[in-house]
Amino acid sequence: MKSVDAHLADILATVRTLAPLELELERALGTTLAEEVSSPVPLPPFDNSAMDGYAVRAADVAAAPVSLPVIDDIAAGSGELRAIGHGHAVRIMTGAPLPAGADAVVPVEWTDGGTVTVRIDRPVREGNAVRRAGEDVQAGEVVLKPGTTIGAAQLGIIAGTGRRRVWVRPRPRVVVLSTGAELVEPGTQLGPGQIWDSNSFTLTAAVREAGGEGFRAGTVTDDPAAFLDQLDAQLVRADAVITSGGVSMGAYEPVKEALGPLGTVRFEKVAMQPGMPQGFGVVGDDQVPIFTLPGNPVSSYVSFQLFVRPALRKMRGLPAGPPATRSAHLLAPLHSPEGKRSFLRGVLADDGTVTPVHGQGSHQLAALALANCLIMVPEQVTEVPSGASVQVIRI
């Protein structure tokens, strides 16, 4: 059997990082920055008030309480040049430009709120409640580097530098197909021998959690020709394809029967549990990567975490490799088959202990839904005692 590490290495050697494109900011959330972003101006571009209050000279209020005449109002957005002299105050709003001559702002809460004269009850230091020009970003300073995942804060600073569009590596578009004549849509009545399809929902959601755009294409029967027709129809919108089911050793394996003759997809046994039957390759004129995962719900989900998620990271232009692990102390003994790397479902607690969930079968989706980690047991280990240190993968 092929090792887990070798299978992932082959996948990462095949998938390509997506080419950058220029997007409007509204469409850039979740993408990966493909250029440096710098600010053409200082941020803030001018000295301004951090609070509603009164612009003053700090020396004029050092002996507070004092009363000062209010000679002007300055609202946020004001473009007029203002100034104050010794012994005066200007009422100022948050974000408004600081008038020349002022070196501090007294919060309105420290005053009587007067509009003609104002009583200031507390002294302030020079610079109080003042945002200095360039204190966040200097003109020409790089604020984001290529390879940064764009979240809400990153979008904010890009917009704050005056940019309307940005070059990014897009979120991979991933089509998910479930196969099996026994599958029916949730919300419909079950007939004899039928089950509701869960894999396509699980895997599509997993794609979105991993930063891709997941498209659920529904279910396909056990007819290889029907599977190929559905696959061909979906390739026009896919950077990658995930299938579940139809890859084992028995009869009625439509994915294997349909893709095997193409010679571009390899079906192999990987030394892991769950998820031994795996397939990977490329299809179509654009050499779209296709991950053919086993049909048992837990097997397909574990396979996604181990193989698809790292591949999506590479496609997004992010560092890619085996899933990160951390150490935990096991609270119950475990058994694992010799020669296979096991990924058992568990609950990782805040104190660093991990408890295996009840129900480790590859069909037991309810047990998976209770888990927040995979407990990894190496190939050569068959027994792990309670209290041992183990490596876990967060899910």
Side-chain angles (χ1 to χ4, degrees):
M1 287 187 288
K2 188 179 185 180
S3 72
V4 171
D5 295 333
H7 190 59
L8 177 59
D10 286 347
I11 289 170
L12 294 179
T14 301
V15 298
R16 301 179 299 245
T17 301
L18 297 180
L21 50 83
E22 193 176 26
L23 291 181
E24 296 281 341
L25 289 189
E26 289 88 347
R27 299 177 56 204
L29 183 66
T31 62
T32 305
L33 190 62
E35 62 168 322
E36 280 190 347
V37 175
S38 58
S39 179
V41 298
L43 298 179
F46 50 85
D47 292 351
N48 68 90
S49 178
M51 303 182 74
D52 292 341
Y54 295 84
V56 299
R57 298 185 181 200
D60 291 338
V61 297
V66 298
S67 291
L68 300 177
V70 178
I71 63 170
D72 210 342
D73 282 0
I74 308 179
S78 173
E80 298 180 22
L81 296 176
R82 313 289 180 91
I84 64 169
H86 171 71
H88 296 102
V90 168
R91 195 164 64 149
I92 193 168
M93 305 303 123
T94 303
L98 197 70
D103 59 18
V105 172
V106 179
V108 68
E109 294 84 359
W110 298 0
T111 75
D112 65 355
T115 58
V116 177
T117 62
V118 60
R119 188 187 76 247
I120 296 173
D121 298 323
R122 295 173 57 178
V124 294
R125 295 181 178 180
E126 184 176 332
N128 186 72
V130 175
R131 302 166 178 158
R132 294 297 181 187
E135 73 173 30
D136 187 13
V137 177
Q138 295 293 317
E141 182 179 343
V142 174
V143 296
L144 293 175
K145 294 183 178 181
T148 301
T149 301
I150 299 179
Q154 290 72 32
L155 272 178
I157 189 59
I158 295 170
T161 64
R163 297 285 297 272
R164 193 68 182 80
R165 299 170 66 86
V166 66
W167 282 92
V168 300
R169 298 191 187 276
R171 299 168 63 196
R173 301 167 301 168
V174 184
V175 171
V176 177
L177 286 163
S178 286
T179 66
E182 75 280 15
L183 300 178
V184 296
E185 285 287 303
T188 62
Q189 189 69 34
L190 287 180
Q194 293 181 328
I195 60 172
W196 288 300
D197 171 39
S198 62
N199 280 2
S200 63
F201 289 92
T202 303
L203 294 172
T204 303
V207 168
R208 294 170 182 165
E209 287 181 342
E213 292 189 42
F215 300 98
R216 177 181 172 270
T219 61
V220 184
T221 67
D222 287 337
D223 180 0
F227 169 78
L228 280 179
D229 287 343
Q230 175 75 300
L231 179 62
D232 288 341
Q234 297 297 329
L235 285 178
V236 295
R237 63 169 176 170
D239 296 311
V241 176
I242 302 172
T243 69
S244 66
V247 295
S248 295
M249 302 301 293
Y252 307 109
E253 302 294 351
V255 176
K256 200 169 185 179
E257 291 178 39
L259 299 180
L262 300 181
T264 60
V265 180
R266 295 181 61 181
F267 296 91
E268 302 174 285
K269 292 181 178 180
V270 176
M272 60 184 285
Q273 182 175 298
M276 182 179 68
Q278 296 285 334
F280 173 76
V282 294
V283 290
D285 294 337
D286 293 331
Q287 302 286 280
V288 175
I290 185 167
F291 302 83
T292 64
L293 308 183
N296 278 322
V298 179
S299 299
S300 64
Y301 181 77
V302 169
S303 300
F304 178 93
Q305 297 297 332
L306 298 180
F307 305 126
V308 185
R309 180 182 281 271
L312 294 181
R313 287 186 59 84
K314 181 174 180 180
M315 296 174 76
R316 297 173 63 202
L318 299 172
T325 63
R326 60 156 291 179
S327 296
H329 289 286
L330 189 63
L331 294 185
L334 289 176
H335 306 279
S336 178
E338 185 176 2
K340 291 183 179 181
R341 189 179 302 178
S342 288
F343 298 90
L344 302 164
R345 280 65 69 201
V347 176
L348 179 65
D350 292 339
D351 63 1
T353 59
V354 63
T355 305
V357 299
H358 177 72
Q360 293 289 339
S362 60
H363 63 291
Q364 292 178 291
L365 189 56
L368 175 65
L370 298 175
N372 64 5
C373 70
L374 301 175
I375 306 168
M376 190 166 65
V377 181
E379 291 86 342
Q380 70 276 14
V381 176
T382 58
E383 304 284 340
V384 185
S386 178
S389 178
V390 292
Q391 293 297 305
V392 301
I393 300 169
R394 290 184 180 273
I395 57 173

